Amino acid sequence: MITEQASRTPVGSWTVHAVTVSPEAGAPEGRPTVVMVHGLGMSARSLLPTARLLARDFRVVLPELPGNGRSTRPADVLDVPALADALVDWMDRVGLPSAVLVGHSLGSQVAVHAAGRHPDRVTALVLVSPSRDPLINTPWKKALRLLLDGPRESPKLLPVAVVDYLRAGPIRMWRTLRASLETDPIRTLGRVRQPTLVVRGDRDLLVSPWWARTICAVVGDGRVATVTDGPHGLPFSTPADLTRAIMPFLRDYPGLLS
């Protein structure tokens, strides 16, 4: 059995909404907290199916980044480095010294920046459907491929995405997307020294096999896992397959599973 609890935490002038999913008896002693970071315009709801499976072994926390979900919408749109800093500021406020970061899509970019900018706060990285593929290098290309990906996802994801996108607002999402493409992905990845797993669905239109391999070649310690018949939205559409891809990585990393 698992428990789910929502919280709202003041972080500077913002309030960050988060959902914590954990074993009813508590996570085994010594295991790190897993923090899952959602994608563009999305909320914790897009990650809950996978979080509930990971919570058999870990305490899993799903913060909603400023401007998304039920968190505060800053007047200015935050770029990726600012979102990464906001994530670490939230970790400070909730008393979380370090965590395994599991980022999805744009959340992977946020997780990578957090690992590079605050290396002592990130134990390991899991990059699920990581965005910023240089082969898809314009907002219009990404938006079109995201639209084409829709029919490949679980039908239950559509109402979640519609509500989350409306809540985030199309203008904020567009500006965030444009800002995300202004980063230098190779340079940013070059700062990562944490063990890193890249998980890509083989039907993902937004992440090429080349990009998944390139990430692993650039980071200090990387490996790739592929989800068969997996679309872009792996955490919601194929949670069991994604969890099976993640757990061997966590088992192989010393100290994460005992």
Side-chain angles (χ1 to χ4, degrees), residues 28-32 54 56-58 246-258:
E29 186 176 355
R31 292 190 183 176
L54 291 174
R56 296 170 181 172
D57 296 287
F58 296 95
I246 293 174
M247 288 305 293
F249 170 75
L250 298 182
R251 289 192 182 99
D252 286 350
Y253 188 72
L256 290 186
L257 285 176
S258 56

Coordinates of all heavy atoms in Angstrom, one line a residue, residues 28-32 54 56-58 246-258:
P28 N 12.3 2.3 3.0 CA 13.4 1.7 3.7 C 14.4 2.7 4.1 O 14.8 3.6 3.3 CB 13.9 0.6 2.8 CG 12.7 0.3 1.9 CD 12.0 1.6 1.7
E29 N 15.0 2.5 5.3 CA 16.0 3.5 5.8 C 17.2 3.5 4.9 O 17.7 2.5 4.4 CB 16.4 3.0 7.2 CG 17.3 4.0 7.9 CD 17.6 3.6 9.3 OE1 17.0 2.6 9.8 OE2 18.5 4.3 9.9
G30 N 17.7 4.7 4.6 CA 18.9 4.9 3.9 C 18.7 5.1 2.4 O 19.6 5.4 1.7
R31 N 17.5 4.9 1.9 CA 17.2 5.0 0.5 C 16.9 6.5 0.2 O 16.2 7.2 0.9 CB 16.0 4.2 0.0 CG 16.4 2.7 0.0 CD 15.3 1.9 -0.6 NE 15.7 0.4 -0.5 CZ 14.9 -0.6 -0.9 NH1 13.8 -0.3 -1.5 NH2 15.3 -1.8 -0.7
P32 N 17.4 7.0 -1.0 CA 17.2 8.4 -1.3 C 15.8 8.7 -1.7 O 15.0 7.8 -2.1 CB 18.2 8.6 -2.4 CG 18.2 7.3 -3.1 CD 18.1 6.3 -2.0
L54 N 7.0 3.4 -8.4 CA 8.3 3.6 -7.8 C 8.2 3.7 -6.3 O 9.1 3.4 -5.5 CB 9.0 4.9 -8.3 CG 9.5 4.9 -9.7 CD1 10.0 6.3 -10.1 CD2 10.6 3.9 -9.9
R56 N 6.8 1.9 -4.3 CA 6.9 0.6 -3.6 C 8.3 0.5 -2.9 O 8.4 -0.3 -2.0 CB 6.7 -0.6 -4.6 CG 5.3 -0.6 -5.2 CD 5.3 -1.6 -6.4 NE 4.0 -1.7 -7.0 CZ 3.7 -2.3 -8.1 NH1 4.7 -3.0 -8.7 NH2 2.5 -2.4 -8.7
D57 N 9.2 1.2 -3.5 CA 10.6 1.1 -3.0 C 11.2 2.5 -2.5 O 12.2 2.5 -1.7 CB 11.5 0.6 -4.0 CG 11.2 -0.8 -4.5 OD1 11.5 -1.7 -3.7 OD2 10.6 -1.0 -5.6
F58 N 10.6 3.6 -2.9 CA 11.1 4.9 -2.5 C 10.0 5.8 -2.1 O 8.8 5.7 -2.5 CB 11.8 5.5 -3.8 CG 13.0 4.7 -4.3 CD1 12.9 3.8 -5.3 CD2 14.2 4.9 -3.7 CE1 13.9 3.1 -5.8 CE2 15.3 4.2 -4.2 CZ 15.2 3.3 -5.2
I246 N 13.7 1.7 -15.2 CA 14.4 2.5 -14.2 C 15.0 1.6 -13.1 O 16.2 1.9 -12.7 CB 13.5 3.5 -13.6 CG1 13.1 4.6 -14.7 CG2 14.1 4.2 -12.4 CD1 12.1 5.6 -14.2
M247 N 14.3 0.6 -12.7 CA 14.7 -0.1 -11.5 C 16.1 -0.8 -11.6 O 16.9 -0.7 -10.6 CB 13.7 -1.1 -11.0 CG 12.4 -0.4 -10.5 SD 12.7 0.7 -9.1 CE 13.3 -0.5 -7.9
P248 N 16.5 -1.4 -12.7 CA 17.8 -2.0 -12.7 C 18.9 -0.9 -12.6 O 20.0 -1.2 -11.9 CB 17.9 -2.6 -14.1 CG 16.5 -2.9 -14.5 CD 15.7 -1.7 -13.9
F249 N 18.7 0.3 -13.1 CA 19.7 1.4 -12.9 C 19.8 1.7 -11.4 O 20.9 1.9 -10.9 CB 19.2 2.6 -13.7 CG 20.0 3.8 -13.4 CD1 21.3 4.0 -13.9 CD2 19.4 4.9 -12.7 CE1 22.0 5.2 -13.7 CE2 20.1 6.0 -12.4 CZ 21.4 6.2 -12.9
L250 N 18.7 1.8 -10.7 CA 18.8 2.1 -9.3 C 19.4 1.0 -8.5 O 20.1 1.2 -7.5 CB 17.4 2.5 -8.8 CG 16.7 3.7 -9.5 CD1 15.3 3.9 -8.8 CD2 17.5 4.9 -9.3
R251 N 19.1 -0.2 -8.9 CA 19.7 -1.4 -8.2 C 21.2 -1.4 -8.4 O 22.0 -1.8 -7.5 CB 19.1 -2.7 -8.7 CG 17.6 -2.9 -8.3 CD 17.2 -4.3 -8.5 NE 15.8 -4.5 -8.1 CZ 14.8 -4.4 -9.0 NH1 15.0 -4.3 -10.3 NH2 13.5 -4.6 -8.6
D252 N 21.7 -1.0 -9.6 CA 23.1 -1.1 -9.9 C 23.9 0.0 -9.2 O 25.1 -0.1 -9.0 CB 23.4 -1.0 -11.4 CG 23.0 -2.3 -12.1 OD1 22.7 -3.3 -11.4 OD2 22.9 -2.3 -13.3
Y253 N 23.2 1.1 -8.8 CA 24.0 2.2 -8.2 C 24.2 2.0 -6.8 O 23.2 1.8 -6.0 CB 23.2 3.5 -8.5 CG 24.0 4.7 -8.0 CD1 25.1 5.1 -8.8 CD2 23.7 5.4 -6.9 CE1 25.8 6.2 -8.4 CE2 24.5 6.5 -6.5 CZ 25.5 6.9 -7.2 OH 26.3 8.0 -6.8
P254 N 25.4 1.9 -6.3 CA 25.7 1.5 -4.9 C 24.9 2.4 -3.9 O 24.9 3.6 -4.0 CB 27.2 1.8 -4.8 CG 27.7 1.7 -6.1 CD 26.6 2.2 -7.0
G255 N 24.2 1.7 -3.0 CA 23.6 2.4 -1.9 C 22.1 2.8 -2.1 O 21.4 3.1 -1.2
L256 N 21.7 2.8 -3.4 CA 20.3 3.2 -3.6 C 19.3 2.1 -3.2 O 18.2 2.5 -2.7 CB 20.1 3.5 -5.1 CG 20.8 4.8 -5.6 CD1 20.4 5.0 -7.1 CD2 20.5 6.0 -4.8
L257 N 19.6 0.9 -3.4 CA 18.7 -0.2 -3.0 C 19.6 -1.1 -2.1 O 20.7 -1.6 -2.5 CB 18.2 -1.0 -4.2 CG 17.1 -0.3 -5.0 CD1 16.7 -1.2 -6.2 CD2 15.8 -0.1 -4.1
S258 N 19.0 -1.5 -1.0 CA 19.7 -2.4 0.0 C 18.8 -3.6 0.3 O 17.7 -3.6 0.0 CB 20.1 -1.6 1.2 OG 18.9 -1.0 1.8

